[in-house]
Amino acid sequence: MKYDTLIRGCAVLNERFEVDWDQDIAIAGGVIAAVGNSPLPGEAEQVVDGRGKLFLPGLVDGHIHTCQQLLRGRILDQLPMIWTRIMLPFESGLTEEAVEAGAELACLELIKSGTTAFADAGGRYMDAVACVVERTGLRAALTCSTIDAGDAPATMKHSTQACLEQNDALFDRWHGRGEGRISVFYSLRSMLSVTEELILRVFERARNRGTGVHAHISEYPNEVNASLERHRLRPVEYLDKLGVLGPNFLAAHSILLNDDEIDLMADRGVKVIHCPFSNCGKGVPHTPRLLQRKASVGLGTDGAAHGGLSLWNEMKIFRSVMNAHVGVPYANPVVMPARTILRMATCGGAAALGYEDKLGAVKPGYLADLISIDLNQPHILPTSDLPNTLLETVNAGDVADSMVQGRFLMRDRKVLVMDEKAVLERARAIHHKCFPNG
């Protein structure tokens, strides 16, 4: 056999989230062609020494705001409502140059932390974000930030028709670009900032075009209270009454759900994304119940304004929150096992982006979106259970390699698709323009 790439002698995190040692991974045409005991027969244009590394599926960030990258450090310890007081005003004043610089910085951080795919909740100048994604080689589901109601700055709020046309244009320009790595979803910013007409037409558009809808849902108590006041229904119940809940819905946050809403989301196949660090200031999601009902659950960071883009950090925070809030009261220390959380950060996110059974496993037929962990470090080895150690002690700096669709974006911590120094210098200069006093 002739392959594009052969990774020799590595450890592999298999689809059961157990470790197979001394394995080879063969890649052809951007797809994993074979995985097995080393040496696999065959030749390749590129042979990679995988000894001392663990290869696993690339992490998937199911909810991120690349346009908020330059807000790092400005949200923590702020009083509510940060969304209307800080975030929307900041987004509304962004220039195209600032959006592009933020996207570059975000993509650089994602590559270095082991995230190979992400879903961006949208903002202004999303063509600039798409250009960055295309040239860096990452995989992304992009959208616009659609707002046609409520109190939002004039640059962010548009008529219902203008919101749809903006999203249509982004879809027409970018969906399927980048060798299929870029997809475009439709968007609802939040239930507080959209009309019923926009909800219905967004879901209709997405259904007709075979794509997803990305929205913030059940994140704030006032969102739930407003829905009860206006519709006598909670947000998820209201969407179900409209007939729009379905497997193409990426429901970011999903913290404040009752049992009926959990049942609805599971029954309709909604893709739930939790953002642990961001969510901690608002509530604790009912994840064990969602998983018990076989709901699809993934993880997101919510962007750099909420603690950075490391899903390794999010997994650790999530485990601690689940143990403290759910495990301790019931004396159940394994209420959220390590392998379950690893599955959420890979398979759960993949499903939310529309890649169910295509991403999230190192197995033949799956897209070759892979990362490796440098195992030869005192905080990793020796270990009695490597998957547990991945959750306990591995961090973003332990990611050695990153590959999307068979192309290395980073090798041995060297980013191959971006000039790291130039990205950082540009981001610092633009950050100073945005915040001249610090």
Side-chain angles (χ1 to χ4, degrees), residues 17-79:
F17 288 84
E18 302 292 345
V19 177
D20 296 327
W21 298 91
D22 198 21
Q23 299 288 294
D24 286 356
I25 305 171
I27 297 164
V31 175
I32 299 171
V35 182
N37 293 331
S38 186
L40 280 176
E43 299 177 349
E45 293 181 14
Q46 176 179 223
V47 177
V48 176
D49 185 355
R51 290 175 298 176
K53 295 178 178 179
L54 171 70
F55 277 81
L56 64 151
L59 306 182
V60 182
D61 191 329
H63 180 68
I64 184 177
H65 294 264
T66 60
C67 64
Q68 295 174 4
Q69 193 74 13
L70 300 180
L71 272 177
R72 187 189 301 276
R74 292 191 171 264
I75 301 302
L76 197 65
D77 297 338
Q78 291 288 336
L79 297 174

Side-chain angles (χ1 to χ4, degrees), residues 402-420:
S402 175
M403 167 187 284
V404 173
Q405 215 153 293
R407 176 195 182 192
F408 277 108
L409 311 185
M410 181 171 70
R411 287 286 305 275
D412 293 319
R413 294 300 293 171
K414 180 176 175 55
V415 177
L416 306 177
V417 293
M418 308 180 79
D419 183 335
E420 186 169 352

